[in-house]
Amino acid sequence: MRKKIVAGNWKMNMNLQDGVALAKELNDTLTAQKPNCGVIICTPFIHLASIAQFLDQSVIGLGAENCADKEKGAYTGEVSAEMVKSTGAQYVIIGHSERRGYYNDTPEVLKEKVLLALKNGLKVIFCIGESLEEREANKQNEVVKAELEGSVFNLSAEEFKNIIVAYEPIWAIGTGKTATADQAEEIHAYIRSVIADKYGKEVADDTTILYGGSCKASNAPELFAKPDIDGGLIGGASLKAADFKGIIDAR
Ligand code: PEP
């Protein structure tokens, strides 16, 4: 049975003190009232080591939002997968559309990041999704297939088991515009079929595929009721414990 997961992506929000306070609030709430799905928070690099000190990672997993495409060395300002792992984090988001769009994370770069993350024992939340123009041209299926082929389909079936896929239509991220549950289900089922073609039905059935894009407590129940939507990757609504908990409770 594949894992149901609600993951938060804090992005570049909250200073260390505010981030630690939010993580403590979530830890207190979710250890007192255990969620019936996996929960992960992905935070800026600088928060990881502090949060790892107190987070009950049997209840809330901890992840980074990115890692370097190089192992180590003279890459000023970069943070390697090994460094992420050494904080106590277990996950890393790779391929978020903001990284692809603003920081030139090409398919080749992402492929290297994924390999290094796996080599260092991190699980990867790998993001894919089409732009508004691509959706309007009905190219969403070819876009997500190419994104998988470009950066993760080089993995063995065994390695691919460490990949959580997040489908995030770019036109729905931070815009308040959510894909309808039917639209999201259609492409999630397609993504699962592409994974089945590559790795077989068993691997595809075991792959967690999250939906991301303006997901909130009000629309989460309808999205999460769909058979191929295994949970959510949540941006804005992961920044307040009550909002995030509302989505977790919908799963
Ligand atoms: C995201 O960026 O991963 C995301 C889903 O953002 P939001 O929930 O704010 O649309």
Side-chain angles (χ1 to χ4, degrees), residues 142-155:
E142 61 184 271
V143 169
V144 295
K145 185 171 187 230
E147 286 177 332
L148 290 169
E149 287 172 345
S151 306
V152 291
F153 275 3
N154 56 304
L155 301 175

Side-chain angles (χ1 to χ4, degrees), residues 188-209:
H188 277 234
Y190 172 73
I191 292 164
R192 202 176 301 287
S193 76
V194 170
I195 296 169
D197 288 346
K198 172 73 187 168
Y199 293 110
K201 189 171 181 314
E202 202 180 315
V203 173
D205 283 346
D206 283 348
T207 302
T208 298
I209 307 178

Side-chain angles (χ1 to χ4, degrees), residues 1 3 9-10 31 33 36 58 61-62 90 94 104 107 109 115 118 120 132 209-210 222 234 237:
M1 257 306 269
K3 235 182 148 190
N9 172 16
W10 289 6
T31 48
Q33 199 192 328
N36 49 19
S58 68
L62 181 62
Q90 299 168 343
I94 294 180
N104 200 29
V109 164
L115 287 172
L118 297 185
N120 284 284
L132 185 58
I209 307 178
L210 308 178
E222 203 189 342
I234 318 298

Side-chain angles (χ1 to χ4, degrees), residues 9 11 96 98 168 172-175 212-215 233-237:
N9 172 16
K11 310 194 183 188
H96 193 280
E98 287 152 16
E168 301 206 303
I173 295 180
T175 57
S214 298
C215 186
L233 179 56
I234 318 298

